[in-house]
Amino acid sequence: MTSAEEFLRSYHDARPDAASELAGRGRVTGDGRTVYEVFADRVATAKAVLDLGCGDGALLAELGSRGVAKLAGVDLSSGQLASAGRRPELAEADLRQGRAQELPFEDGEFDTVVSFMALMLMTDVEQVVAEAARVLAPGGTLAIGVGGGGREALEIFLKVARPLFAVVPEERRVPAAGDPRTRTREGLDELLTPAGFEPVAWDRMVVDFGGTPDEVWQTCHDSYYQMATLDNTHRKGLRTAFTVATRNLVTPEGRLAASACVDVAVTRLR
């Protein structure tokens, strides 16, 4: 296991529901539903789904509520898998602790593989892609969600926070993770096509996280792993700097605009 994987496992063991709670606060612009609900539409015909980096099972539970017959997930975090196992929709799901680079499933076992905000954090991504192709039946679907960056207050937060993140002592920094090719259409085609996948269909969801300044601060705080590396003094200082930087953007109704982009790539195995 890499240092990045060890960090992610430890972080999510301590905060098993953090990712789904964060996602649940937002609503997709122009739609009004959560990102999990909208993402699930991309695999509406699925009958047997494997989720790579399934976390606490929020996406699998959404798919289960839609009648998907076979649900499976793999994740590094035992804490998140325990949370997933407590979801009624996942009572019969096959949830395994492990790495997406070494999937404990049979060849062609699934008609759909999904990975939401997880592939972009994985190392040895060519091996992940090869494993996804192996467990998919011919003609199977691969659907991937990756972060596309923040807007409005989320963008301002990152500009204010970067200098603090940069001076965190080396021993406390978040280890580098992921492959930048997983974050672009061209990069994903470069990774996926040699493994037998068609060129990806690509679209973007914009997720509204606007709210009161306190609510938006909490969303910013929960969006970045690096926040766990700051001590209390730096965290308080960052909150003050963020409040000052966004003060003039608060509407008379007390609302602060904030949104994040999620890019979605869907392909099929030839």
Side-chain angles (χ1 to χ4, degrees):
M1 184 175 292
T2 67
S3 60
E5 289 171 335
E6 290 174 352
F7 171 85
L8 291 168
R9 181 179 64 177
S10 176
Y11 180 96
H12 288 293
D13 279 348
R15 306 166 180 84
D17 303 316
S20 65
E21 287 177 358
L22 174 62
R25 293 178 205 156
R27 292 294 180 270
V28 176
T29 301
D31 185 287
R33 294 179 296 161
T34 70
V35 287
Y36 296 127
E37 292 172 303
V38 177
F39 185 83
D41 289 349
R42 306 302 199 275
V43 293
T45 62
K47 295 179 176 61
V49 177
L50 170 63
D51 189 350
L52 306 181
C54 65
D56 70 353
L59 177 57
L60 281 176
E62 175 61 32
L63 293 167
S65 72
R66 298 181 181 209
V68 176
K70 180 176 181 178
L71 299 168
V74 63
D75 201 275
L76 295 171
S77 167
S78 60
Q80 287 192 305
L81 290 171
S83 289
R86 289 191 288 270
R87 293 181 181 270
E89 302 93 337
L90 303 183
E92 303 299 323
D94 186 356
L95 304 174
R96 313 272 191 106
Q97 185 175 14
R99 304 174 73 236
Q101 296 85 347
E102 305 168 68
L103 294 175
F105 300 102
E106 299 297 323
D107 294 1
E109 189 171 343
F110 303 94
D111 63 33
T112 304
V113 171
V114 298
S115 186
F116 186 80
M117 304 294 280
L119 181 68
M120 65 187 197
L121 300 174
M122 295 179 187
T123 57
D124 301 323
V125 70
E126 289 92 348
Q127 184 60 29
V128 177
V129 169
E131 282 289 271
R134 180 183 65 79
V135 301
L136 270 173
T141 298
L142 174 64
I144 300 163
V146 298
R151 296 179 175 181
E152 295 112 8
L154 279 168
E155 185 176 15
I156 292 170
F157 170 84
L158 193 54
K159 289 179 180 178
V160 174
R162 274 188 179 129
L164 278 178
F165 293 161
V167 298
V168 170
E170 185 69 31
E171 65 274 12
R172 294 205 335 254
R173 290 186 187 177
V174 176
D179 186 316
R181 290 176 293 177
T182 62
R183 295 176 178 266
T184 68
R185 182 176 192 165
E186 296 75 17
L188 280 172
D189 280 339
E190 179 184 334
L191 288 165
L192 296 170
T193 302
F197 289 97
E198 298 175 353
V200 300
W202 181 270
D203 69 296
R204 169 165 284 187
M205 295 187 284
V206 178
V207 187
D208 181 12
F209 285 104
T212 67
D214 284 347
E215 290 169 340
V216 173
W217 160 258
Q218 193 61 50
T219 292
C220 294
H221 179 283
D222 296 345
S223 294
Y224 296 94
Y225 289 116
Q226 290 89 339
M227 289 299 295
T229 70
L230 300 182
D231 59 31
N232 287 334
T233 299
H234 285 128
R235 196 174 291 112
K236 290 177 181 177
L238 177 54
R239 180 163 190 174
T240 298
F242 173 74
T243 299
V244 171
T246 58
R247 183 175 292 155
N248 292 336
L249 302 179
V250 180
T251 69
E253 296 76 29
R255 182 178 173 84
L256 182 60
S259 60
C261 300
V262 176
D263 293 321
V264 179
V266 181
T267 182
R268 292 188 182 277
L269 187 64
R270 295 188 182 92

